[in-house]
DNA sequence: CATCGGATGGACT
DNA sequence: GTCCATCCGATGG
């Protein structure tokens, strides 16, 4: 039996030094945790996507494009890369190490703790699965915002911890979502999810 | 400067 | 399925 303290213990930064295509599935089953003045809320990561640097047309860092937005991707692994898409914030984990601008997008989580808090942030949502089954939805549910840009993921208020029931699921892989206009990159099987988990976005 | 187009989600037909 | 809110980066003049 784990204590709550152990359950929410952050993964060390060296966890993020593994290759991006290995890190993306390795993050499945881990906990994404956010602490705010209102309390802690967390979710089990059930869907991720790898974005691999200069040669991946779907990546913001394609052709090593370095801007104020993508700057954090060029730095050390294990930090949050948040950006705004339309009206929503999305969160990635920086990987690849310094000068290798790669990242893993967190596309869906399963609520794990702080469900009342999550519901209060998603007031119009009726079914539980709709609370966190998409990259914009989970950020809203956990109150992840642009204020978290560049934050180290081994420290409060935003961190990733090893999850419950590790190894009790099957991982599947397939093409990434929402990148139709990226040539061959749209076919790369760099999306990973937990088989049969109802919180996977599609 | 103007214009276009998203790693989206929610309301609606 | 369609429409569009509303923001930022990229591109072209």
């Amino acid at each position: 039996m784990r204590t709550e303290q152990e359950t929410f213990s952050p993964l060390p930064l060296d966890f993020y030094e593994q290759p991006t295509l290995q890190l993306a599935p390795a993050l499945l089953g881990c906990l994404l945790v956010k602490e705010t003045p209102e309390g802690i809320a967390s979710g089990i990561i059930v869907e991720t996507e790898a974005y691999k640097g200069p040669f991946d047309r779907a990546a913001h860092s394609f052709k090593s494009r370095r801007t104020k937005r993508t700057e954090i991707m060029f730095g050390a692994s294990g930090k949050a890369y948040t950006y705004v898409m339309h009206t929503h914030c999305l969160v990635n984990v920086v990987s690849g190490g310094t000068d290798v601008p790669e990242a893993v997008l967190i596309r869906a989580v399963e609520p794990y703790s702080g469900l009342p808090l999550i519901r209060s942030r998603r007031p119009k949502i009726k079914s539980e699965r709709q609370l966190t089954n998409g990259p914009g939805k989970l950020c809203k549910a956990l109150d992840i915002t642009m204020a978290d840009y560049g934050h180290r993921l081994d420290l409060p208020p935003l961190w990733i911890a090893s999850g419950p029931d590790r190894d009790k699921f099957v991982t599947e892989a397939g093409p990434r979502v929402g990148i139709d206009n990226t040539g061959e990159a749209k076919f790369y099987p760099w999306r990973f999810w937990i088989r049969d988990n109802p919180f996977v976005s599609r």
Side-chain angles (χ1 to χ4, degrees), chain A residues 56-78:
Chain A
D56 176 6
R57 271 191 62 182
H60 294 157
S61 52
F62 178 57
K63 292 197 260 190
S64 294
R65 175 173 290 131
R66 192 166 185 157
T67 65
K68 185 178 175 189
R69 176 174 72 152
T70 62
E71 180 63 29
I72 200 68
M73 293 181 74
F74 290 79
S77 299

Side-chain angles (χ1 to χ4, degrees), chain A residues 24-96:
Chain A
L27 283 166
L28 297 175
C30 294
L31 286 173
L32 181 63
V33 190
K34 177 71 191 249
E35 181 171 21
T36 69
E38 292 74 41
I40 291 180
S42 67
I44 301 168
I45 297 170
V46 299
E47 180 182 352
T48 60
E49 283 178 357
Y51 285 87
K52 279 177 61 71
F55 308 104
D56 176 6
R57 271 191 62 182
H60 294 157
S61 52
F62 178 57
K63 292 197 260 190
S64 294
R65 175 173 290 131
R66 192 166 185 157
T67 65
K68 185 178 175 189
R69 176 174 72 152
T70 62
E71 180 63 29
I72 200 68
M73 293 181 74
F74 290 79
S77 299
K79 294 184 178 178
Y81 167 39
T82 50
Y83 77 98
V84 174
M85 171 63 175
H86 290 268
T87 54
H88 305 281
C89 185
L90 280 62
V91 65
N92 296 251
V93 176
V94 173
S95 59

Side-chain angles (χ1 to χ4, degrees), chain A residues 13-35:
Chain A
L13 282 184
D14 64 18
F15 175 77
Y16 303 98
E17 290 174 10
Q18 56 189 308
T20 299
L21 289 178
Q22 186 177 310
L23 176 65
L27 283 166
L28 297 175
C30 294
L31 286 173
L32 181 63
V33 190
K34 177 71 191 249
E35 181 171 21

